[in-house]
Amino acid sequence: MAILLFLAAGAMAYVAFLSYQQRHMPVARTMMLIMIGAAFYASGYAFEVLSDNLREMKLALQIEYVGIPFVSTLWFFQVIQFTGTAAGYRKRLAVVLFAIPAAVFILHLTNEAHHLVYERYLLNEDARVPLYTTIKGTWYRIHTLYNYLVILSGFLLFIPMYWRSSRVVRKQIVVLVMGAAVPMLFNSLFWFGVTVDLTPFGFAVSGIVYAWGILRFNLLRFTPLALTQVFDTIRDGVILLDYKDQIVSYNAAAEGVFPELGLTKHYPADVGGVLSGSPEVVERVRAAVIGDERFPFRRAQASRSKHYHCSLSFIYDSGTPIGKMLLLSDITELKENEVRLQTSARQLSELNAFKDKLFTVVAHDIRDPIANLVSLTELLGEELEASGVEHAEVFHGLQGQVQNTFQLVENLLDWYRNQNGRIVFRPLGWNLRQVVRQSISLAGHKAGMKQITLTERIGENIMVRADKEMLDLILRNLLSNAIKHTGTGGTIEIGAVSEGELVVVSVRDNGSGIEESTAAAIRLDGPFASMPAAGDDTGSARFGLVLANEFARIHGGSLWFDSVPGRGTTFSFTLPRSSGDGDASGDVGGGDGG
């Protein structure tokens, strides 16, 4: 019997070693203390069996009582850790729980002085084991009742956790329950007349069960509490069902979707009975075959329709389906945003249709009359100037305003065609000198009115890859802007230089330059909507420059300017070089600089 007890102590020491390897977890540290206490109990009882006199027996009892008072309470404290009970005040609870075990240990250590644990020892003349029969004292009975109380409390804590846990966690709970139930069962044999204490052998069985749980079910390798907390706190609703389509467990989010889950007191419960108010979900669950299934679900809650995306999956154990998991993801906000986006898209479509009609009116009913007005003012201005009519200069100012307005309308329509996709980007290879000379020819009349000299200094072999219409618009806007701000008799020069794979085109004038306040007003990195109001002379200019910058960006380049007030301004932009493929330069008419 002593040999068996020593073997049992060794088995419990091995479990303590396995627990020590997982010592970073509080529940594993507690398991280690349980097994150490039980090992002292078994080894002490082995020495008691081997004792030949009362003194040796009392010494063996002292060894036993290193573990006896604490093992049951340590197991209960492990259950508290495992289930997550009293997480906020667990240290204070430990002090209360271990008060009686600590008192029993001290009272047994000093038992000769008061005999509160063992009143006396009687020699057992009829049997070798035990050598002495002990007459129990008051504190022995108190400790016995306390042990049964804490073990029963541990069982009660496990019951609700067992029903709401997954299959793996349930197996771990069974292992821990067996670890306490077997020693308690062996100890209860005292009540049936057995004089030999078989409790240490019960702890030996517990040690074997714990070792099996650690090696087979990963007991102490992960905290089931963490899995339970994830299950309870996940935002998606989760309902677990067994192979009979009975609801086994659910989390708080699932109860938010189906409040009737909380009205059912006992689980497992048939899904049809619990979710009778949602027959479409019940039908999907019962009709599911092997494989995942997804379906939408809508339910009215508090005057609001809630939308869910449901995913029904099978749960497998060793390749065999043992149940199902219903996952409910709330997509109400996504659905509401979708409706809002559809409404916004419809409104935007209506606004775009109105914008198209508006620009159609601008193109036909506004542009043409202003173009006619420009022609009339030019003819009338020439006649007034030839006849020497007084206040002809005032009329020239009016003529300039009309021309600026026409230019603004032209730029606006060009921008609209670009934004509306009407201007298609078709880059081809062009001879830059020929394109620039054509633009100079078109701007020559306007420059001649102010006796401005337009020149180009571009190598005849410089080729660029550009969209002809966009390039013409860029040059037209930059030349128009330069003519406007260059005084009578001034000069405007267009040049170009190659820099790697790019060509830098510049339009330089010796006009009045740009004041700092005006330069801030025509920043090229801001939206055109922030341009000055109509009537401000920089309005049409800035709009044209922003449009030119946009077309330069489409080509993969950019547009910038440098200006010195009183000395002139240089606008520059970049275009990609062309090797001559797809050369369309022969289609361009040319004209020499004026």
Side-chain angles (χ1 to χ4, degrees), residues 279-302:
E280 63 273 32
V281 175
V282 175
E283 183 179 353
R284 289 275 191 170
V285 170
R286 287 178 171 169
V289 294
I290 300 300
D292 296 346
E293 184 177 353
R294 292 172 176 81
F295 58 92
F297 172 64
R298 182 172 64 88
R299 189 170 197 188
Q301 291 183 358

Side-chain angles (χ1 to χ4, degrees), residues 230-452:
V230 170
F231 180 73
D232 289 338
T233 59
I234 188 172
R235 294 181 61 184
D236 292 336
V238 182
I239 299 177
L240 300 179
L241 305 101
D242 61 15
Y243 67 97
K244 295 181 179 179
D245 289 334
Q246 291 183 316
I247 297 177
V248 176
S249 184
Y250 60 89
N251 64 354
E255 187 175 356
V257 180
F258 299 107
E260 53 266 39
L261 288 170
L263 302 177
T264 304
K265 301 301 181 183
H266 302 288
Y267 286 95
D270 183 68
V271 65
V274 178
L275 304 182
S276 57
S278 304
E280 63 273 32
V281 175
V282 175
E283 183 179 353
R284 289 275 191 170
V285 170
R286 287 178 171 169
V289 294
I290 300 300
D292 296 346
E293 184 177 353
R294 292 172 176 81
F295 58 92
F297 172 64
R298 182 172 64 88
R299 189 170 197 188
Q301 291 183 358
S303 70
R304 183 187 183 192
S305 290
K306 301 281 286 184
H307 297 266
Y308 299 93
H309 175 75
C310 303
S311 177
L312 184 63
S313 305
F314 278 80
I315 302 172
Y316 295 88
D317 185 15
S318 301
T320 302
I322 60 173
K324 302 171 185 175
M325 179 178 68
L326 180 62
L327 184 68
L328 303 111
S329 302
D330 190 345
I331 59 171
T332 303
E333 187 174 349
L334 182 63
K335 283 287 186 181
E336 292 176 348
N337 288 339
E338 183 180 341
V339 172
R340 284 193 287 266
L341 284 174
Q342 290 174 350
T343 302
S344 299
R346 178 179 54 80
Q347 293 174 346
L348 184 60
S349 178
E350 293 174 355
L351 288 174
N352 278 333
F354 173 74
K355 180 198 69 175
D356 293 341
K357 293 178 182 178
L358 179 63
F359 274 97
T360 300
V361 172
V362 171
H364 296 285
D365 297 344
I366 296 179
R367 179 188 177 281
D368 292 344
I370 294 179
N372 293 333
L373 188 58
V374 169
S375 300
L376 291 174
T377 54
E378 288 179 353
L379 292 173
L380 186 56
E382 292 174 358
E383 292 181 3
L384 291 176
E385 193 173 308
S387 60
V389 177
E390 189 178 358
H391 304 305
E393 294 181 357
V394 176
F395 183 80
H396 285 308
L398 176 61
Q399 182 182 3
Q401 288 293 330
V402 173
Q403 290 175 342
N404 287 340
T405 303
F406 179 71
Q407 185 68 34
L408 180 60
V409 172
E410 285 280 81
N411 285 330
L412 183 63
L413 291 174
D414 285 336
W415 172 85
Y416 167 70
R417 287 192 291 270
N418 175 57
Q419 297 296 316
N420 200 40
R422 296 275 295 279
I423 296 180
V424 181
F425 182 59
R426 294 192 182 95
L428 295 172
W430 299 94
N431 185 290
L432 183 60
R433 172 188 277 186
Q434 293 184 20
V435 175
V436 169
R437 286 186 174 182
Q438 183 184 39
S439 297
I440 289 176
S441 176
L442 295 174
H445 177 69
K446 190 174 181 181
M449 295 176 63
K450 298 178 68 174
Q451 299 178 356
I452 295 174

Side-chain angles (χ1 to χ4, degrees), residues 28 51 61 101 104 119 127 132 144 182 216 222 268 317 366 399 413 444 455 495 530:
S51 61
L61 283 174
V104 171
E119 292 182 356
Y132 285 87
T144 300
V182 174
R216 175 65 177 83
F222 59 88
D317 185 15
I366 296 179
Q399 182 182 3
L413 291 174
T455 60
S530 64

Side-chain angles (χ1 to χ4, degrees), residues 164-175:
R164 67 172 185 265
S165 297
S166 64
R167 186 181 181 90
V168 174
V169 177
R170 285 184 175 185
K171 291 178 180 178
Q172 296 183 356
I173 292 173
V174 170
V175 169

